[in-house]
Amino acid sequence: MCIEPSMLTRRRVWSDDITVSGAHRPSGTCGSAGTFHLTKGGDAMKAAWYDEQGVAGEVLRVGKRPDPVPDEGEVRVRVLFSGVNPGDTKKREGWLGSAMSYPEVIPHSDGAGVVDRVGAGVDVELVGRRVAVHGAQSYRPFGTAAEYTVVPKDLVTVVPDSVSDQVAALLGIPGITAHRAVFGDGPVTGKVVLVHGVRGGVSGIAAQLAKRGGATVIGTVRRSSDLGAEGLPDLDHVVALDADPAAAVRRIAPDGVDRIVEVALDANADLDAAVIANDGVIATYFARGARVSLPFPPLLFANVTVRFLGSDDFPPAAKRAAMDDLVAAVGEGGLRLSVGKVLPLEQIAQAHDDVDAGQVGRVLVRIAP
């Protein structure tokens, strides 16, 4: 009987009786020679997972799971670093009543490592290449908090030597979200862009991308004491939200700002309405509650567009373009990212707690020794 790889798809990662690898093809299997290998049992990898939602220290476990194997169109990456994002911790805790999408989840969508196997239809030249991974746990159960992860080939981006593994693991969710927030409505050359919360991960990237894209960039920080904080991106202007920010922004941009990158729409809606230019765009990727109240008349009369950004559901082409631009920007020195803390896989619960506590600088989990 010929065993098609698709017949194994639902079992191939977690099955204890059949796995598919990329070394040899015994008789009775399908695909090109050298593509698939059926084995009994399979090796075990170290991974973190949860099978119920809740507090990080109570539901996250670290142990052994069967090695994943690439199916047609997929690659396997030996993970070096796994990026931890607020979206990962929200899935784990069941934010806003969200339920488990799969019976068992290996968390984290972002990571960096080396391609060590490819499935049928994937160029073998990818084997041995250093890559950034994005979207590994987006509508998929198994992410990068493991020694190996398998993803469709379009979810990896080859990185040059000028991009470190740690930085490559930071690019996915925050970088793609920032890129879409800045460029989702076209180029920003010659425009004025207001970016809220520039000490944060997404906003810090967005501010740098907007400046790299030729915009005049105004960043905001929460308090006046943050104006001289270490690690702020090099921007044209920075204003504090506790010191009449609307007046400060209007002094810089009397006609208003063309784009706003918004990290807290519910908190900043009135300020945004006061400084947005006619036909401007507010691109928002977060609000604290399930519902948001907006100042309707000023937004109406200014013909404002509010763009809501859910990174898991961006068009694939937008994600691909964003990752290519992000890697190029880092490689050329036009985008700098800050690593706040690196913890071993055994301390993944602490990494989640640090992200939830608002750790300054991004949090990484180190997978390889």
Side-chain angles (χ1 to χ4, degrees), residues 16-35:
D16 287 330
D17 54 4
I18 296 180
T19 59
V20 184
S21 65
H24 306 285
R25 182 177 66 88
S27 61
T29 62
C30 302
S32 302
T35 301

Side-chain angles (χ1 to χ4, degrees), residues 42-327:
D43 296 330
M45 67 173 179
K46 182 186 290 185
W49 73 92
Y50 58 91
D51 53 21
E52 61 179 330
Q53 292 169 307
V55 176
E58 297 176 0
V59 301
L60 282 168
R61 297 186 244 170
V62 178
K64 294 293 186 178
R65 282 293 183 266
D67 283 350
V69 290
D71 204 343
E72 184 174 359
E74 295 180 332
V75 301
R76 189 174 82 165
V77 177
R78 177 169 57 84
V79 182
L80 302 176
F81 293 95
S82 178
V84 190
N85 293 291
D88 300 317
T89 68
K90 287 178 171 60
K91 289 178 183 178
R92 185 217 71 236
E93 70 181 16
W95 186 63
L96 296 180
S98 59
M100 291 278 295
S101 298
Y102 304 94
E104 194 163 293
V105 172
I106 291 178
H108 306 171
S109 284
D110 299 341
V114 178
V115 175
D116 80 327
R117 292 185 185 181
V118 298
V122 180
D123 191 343
V124 295
E125 293 295 323
L126 271 178
V127 175
R129 302 297 298 272
R130 297 173 54 245
V131 294
V133 180
H134 71 278
Q137 210 265 296
S138 172
Y139 296 109
R140 300 170 62 84
F142 310 128
T144 63
E147 289 182 304
Y148 297 97
T149 191
V150 165
V151 295
K153 62 181 176 61
D154 289 341
L155 300 187
V156 298
T157 304
V158 174
V159 297
D161 291 341
S162 54
V163 179
S164 72
D165 294 320
Q166 290 191 1
V167 169
L170 302 178
L171 294 176
I173 288 175
I176 292 171
T177 303
H179 190 277
R180 186 73 168 164
V182 173
F183 300 114
D185 293 276
V188 294
T189 305
K191 297 186 180 296
V192 181
V193 178
L194 173 66
V195 182
H196 283 299
V198 291
R199 297 188 70 192
V202 176
S203 294
I205 297 173
Q208 294 179 75
L209 291 177
K211 185 170 182 179
R212 178 179 168 85
T216 297
V217 182
I218 307 170
T220 72
V221 293
R222 290 185 182 180
R223 296 169 291 271
S224 297
S225 58
D226 294 331
L227 290 171
E230 185 177 351
L232 282 177
D234 182 20
L235 305 179
D236 301 291
H237 310 276
V238 181
V239 301
L241 295 179
D242 64 354
D244 196 358
V249 171
R250 281 290 182 176
R251 282 194 293 271
I252 299 165
D255 296 327
V257 299
D258 302 294
R259 307 270 179 87
I260 298 177
V261 177
E262 183 55 81
V263 66
L265 182 62
D266 47 350
N268 297 327
D270 290 328
L271 169 59
D272 294 344
V275 301
I276 193 78
N278 189 67
D279 211 29
V281 176
I282 301 171
T284 181
Y285 53 91
F286 187 70
R288 291 169 296 188
R291 302 186 70 85
V292 175
S293 176
L294 297 176
F296 183 73
L299 296 177
L300 172 71
F301 295 127
N303 293 286
V304 171
T305 297
V306 180
R307 173 181 284 277
F308 294 91
L309 302 169
S311 61
D312 280 352
D313 299 294
F314 292 164
K319 295 181 183 182
R320 178 75 271 148
M323 285 299 295
D324 290 342
D325 285 353
L326 290 162
V327 168

